[in-house]
Amino acid sequence: MENFRKTLDHCHLSAIPCKGDVYTWTNKNHHGNIVRERLDRGFINHKWSEFFIEDPISHLDFYHSDHRALAYIVSQSVSTAQSHQRHTRFRFEQFWLKDVDCRNIIQESWHHMASDNPTSSLLHNIAASSAALQDWNLRKYGQMGRDISAAHKISAHLHNSHNNSAAHLQQVENADKILDELLEKEELYWQQRARVDWLQSGDSNTKFFHSRAKTRNKNNKIKKLQAENGGVVHT
């Protein structure tokens, strides 16, 4: 520890202030003696202030770890992007398979039609099932991002409380379970779009899949077309 303090002095480093609950580690002993400590910090020197904005460190939620993740905004860029609505093709979501309603919706939408053309009946059933699944997904999972954000806030509020009663610790455990289930569904959502069917153990990072999906979409986009007269039309 003495060598660590000497290093801080030698490099002229100072601790970055934090916002939120100060504790960054817990033993997660929800059914015994709960222990919390601040073990994780960030440091900057005077050169940093010349180039970057000094923002406080945010202590995020515990999630699957006994340590909080530390979030630090190095620079902020304000940009306004217009959102354009466009029609997208039907895509069966992998995380639907974890919901028992999915099978029921398909069974209810799949009708055995008396027709001389089995292909026509098949296409009709597929269209009816996909439409029903899309409507169901919009009603139940259309606000997934909002649900995750709400679950984050509930989990953070409970973790930041210093109430160590058995009832409170049970609430913490239940809130973490709900959050984990939502994050798992979101992870499957982006995993499918990235077409990545592997996950390194302990490296569940939704942002990775999000980036892969955006890159694939960018590569598949048609940016220009050449007309018969030799001209180029930009899309």
Side-chain angles (χ1 to χ4, degrees):
M1 182 57 69
E2 183 63 27
N3 290 335
F4 178 71
R5 293 194 180 96
K6 289 181 179 179
T7 301
L8 295 180
D9 293 338
H10 177 75
C11 298
H12 305 288
L13 296 174
S14 57
I16 304 173
C18 70
K19 61 181 179 180
D21 187 68
V22 297
Y23 299 115
T24 64
W25 175 85
T26 175
N27 64 351
K28 280 198 167 186
N29 187 8
H30 299 310
H31 305 287
N33 294 325
I34 193 79
V35 179
R36 301 181 181 92
E37 297 287 348
R38 186 183 182 188
L39 302 181
D40 308 280
R41 302 170 186 265
F43 297 88
I44 58 175
N45 59 16
H46 63 284
K47 288 292 185 180
W48 181 272
S49 304
E50 296 178 7
F51 299 97
F52 304 104
I53 300 174
E54 292 187 31
D55 284 323
I57 283 181
S58 297
H59 292 169
L60 305 183
D61 299 329
F62 286 103
Y63 305 131
H64 292 287
S65 174
D66 53 0
H67 283 263
R68 292 181 189 267
L70 304 184
Y72 186 72
I73 299 176
V74 176
S75 62
Q76 287 182 301
S77 58
V78 180
S79 60
T80 304
Q82 296 181 348
S83 60
H84 300 278
Q85 294 184 350
R86 61 179 181 178
H87 176 74
T88 57
R89 72 180 186 273
F90 172 78
R91 189 193 303 268
F92 188 92
E93 303 295 350
Q94 186 178 353
F95 71 86
W96 289 350
L97 297 175
K98 292 182 173 292
D99 195 313
V100 294
D101 292 340
C102 178
R103 175 185 291 272
N104 296 332
I105 289 174
I106 295 176
Q107 288 178 339
E108 292 173 1
S109 304
W110 201 275
H111 303 289
H112 297 284
M113 302 175 59
S115 173
D116 295 334
N117 189 340
T119 302
S120 178
S121 298
L122 176 63
L123 294 177
H124 179 274
N125 286 333
I126 291 176
S129 299
S130 61
L133 286 170
Q134 284 179 317
D135 291 340
W136 165 74
N137 177 70
L138 183 62
R139 292 194 307 271
K140 190 165 187 177
Y141 296 109
Q143 304 295 330
M144 183 184 291
R146 187 176 300 177
D147 292 342
I148 291 176
S149 178
H152 275 165
K153 291 179 181 179
I154 294 173
S155 177
H157 175 73
L158 293 173
H159 275 292
N160 292 339
S161 174
H162 296 165
N163 184 349
N164 294 330
S165 67
H168 176 78
L169 295 177
Q170 185 62 50
Q171 285 184 315
V172 173
E173 194 170 1
N174 293 339
D176 286 347
K177 182 179 179 180
I178 293 173
L179 179 58
D180 288 343
E181 290 175 353
L182 288 170
L183 291 174
E184 182 183 7
K185 290 176 180 177
E186 185 190 38
E187 188 172 75
L188 287 172
Y189 176 88
W190 287 113
Q191 179 185 1
Q192 181 173 344
R193 273 155 178 71
R195 291 191 177 179
V196 175
D197 57 1
W198 52 266
L199 270 175
Q200 291 183 355
S201 178
D203 188 25
S204 302
N205 190 338
T206 302
K207 288 185 177 179
F208 164 75
F209 295 114
H210 194 169
S211 175
R212 286 288 300 274
K214 290 175 67 177
T215 301
R216 179 174 174 271
N217 181 64
K218 182 178 179 181
N219 292 337
N220 290 343
K221 184 177 180 181
I222 298 176
K223 299 179 180 179
K224 60 183 179 179
L225 296 172
Q226 185 172 353
E228 293 181 354
N229 59 6
V232 177
V233 179
H234 294 273
T235 60

